Amino acid sequence: MAADDRLREYRGKRDFGRTMEPSGQRAPGDEAPRFVVQIHDARRTHFDFRLQVGDVLKSWSVPKGPSDDPHDKRLAVPTEDHPLEYEHFEGVIPKGEYGGGTVIVWDRGTYEPLSHDRRGRPVGFAESLEHGHATFRLYGEKLRGEYALTRFRDGRDGEEEAWLLVRKGTGRTDAHGTPDPHRARSVRTGRTLAQVAAEGGEE
């Protein structure tokens, strides 16, 4: 499926004459796939976890944010695919627009797909997500190490599709979970949500 088809839902929810969000034009390069974690202070403050899969960012809303503590199992609810340019988006989505509120880039970097089948052969990342379980290693400025996304509710029978995002491992003495989103700073500009909101999203 082409990026234009994958981004139809994303574009249909937004008025690009009002929002600063990217409409999506960038094609994927040959470099390692990217990931980004954004804090989104909308109707409810949450974290958005996005992994580049081909020409889009597959996206999940993570209410409590990703954790580096293997004991934390974090709910992750799928949202629409986002364009690759969204990795850099930081600003204020106007009130009345879908997702209206302030966004900062909490973490970003590259990731390494690690999924294998039962015989130990590598499985394409898109395929592993389709099957409901994907493992990967993050190389971010804040998040580093092996993680897994596992679907535990498939969205049938009127239920909302839901996944768990978990840090793999046996435990770490320096694990600290996720910080207070209202005190957290952007890895892109060093600003807090309040500072971005006060400045109207301007850098």
Side-chain angles (χ1 to χ4, degrees), residues 1-202:
M1 186 185 296
D4 281 347
D5 294 326
R6 288 194 237 252
L7 294 175
R8 185 173 290 125
E9 182 180 354
Y10 169 86
R11 290 171 176 155
K13 290 179 173 179
R14 292 161 174 84
D15 178 355
F16 295 105
R18 296 192 67 225
T19 182
M20 299 164 49
E21 296 168 283
S23 60
Q25 304 297 330
R26 195 178 101 205
D30 295 329
E31 64 274 4
R34 306 286 300 173
F35 85 92
V36 64
V37 181
Q38 285 151 316
I39 301 177
H40 190 175
D41 189 18
R43 186 167 50 92
R44 292 180 182 169
T45 303
H46 63 278
F47 291 70
D48 287 311
F49 184 78
R50 311 188 198 282
L51 295 168
Q52 179 185 350
V53 180
D55 50 10
V56 296
L57 293 172
K58 302 296 288 184
S59 300
W60 291 261
S61 173
V62 183
K64 293 185 177 180
S67 173
D68 62 357
D69 186 340
H71 298 102
D72 293 337
K73 292 182 172 69
R74 295 296 167 87
L75 173 67
V77 179
T79 62
E80 72 276 13
D81 293 346
H82 282 53
L84 298 180
E85 296 96 321
Y86 216 93
E87 174 196 351
H88 308 292
F89 177 69
E90 185 165 288
V92 178
I93 302 170
K95 193 172 183 178
E97 279 295 298
Y98 176 76
T102 307
V103 177
I104 64 170
V105 178
W106 181 71
D107 195 17
R108 63 182 177 183
T110 61
Y111 78 92
E112 175 188 1
L114 298 174
S115 296
H116 293 78
D117 65 17
R118 290 177 183 167
R119 296 182 183 178
R121 295 176 298 197
V123 175
F125 200 71
E127 182 183 347
S128 64
L129 285 174
E130 191 175 315
H131 290 158
H133 181 74
T135 57
F136 47 94
R137 185 176 301 279
L138 297 180
Y139 299 97
E141 296 182 45
K142 296 176 180 175
L143 298 175
R144 300 186 70 84
E146 190 174 335
Y147 284 77
L149 273 164
T150 304
R151 185 170 55 219
F152 69 91
R153 204 163 56 217
D154 61 14
R156 296 177 190 169
D157 301 323
E159 290 187 311
E160 185 177 50
E161 184 180 338
W163 297 62
L164 289 176
L165 175 63
V166 180
R167 169 77 153 87
K168 303 274 281 181
T170 55
R172 289 172 45 195
T173 56
D174 62 341
H176 52 69
T178 308
D180 178 347
H182 294 284
R183 294 187 177 189
R185 290 190 176 272
S186 163
V187 295
R188 187 171 163 238
T189 63
R191 298 181 296 174
T192 64
L193 285 166
Q195 288 172 324
V196 172
E199 295 163 15
E202 298 296 325

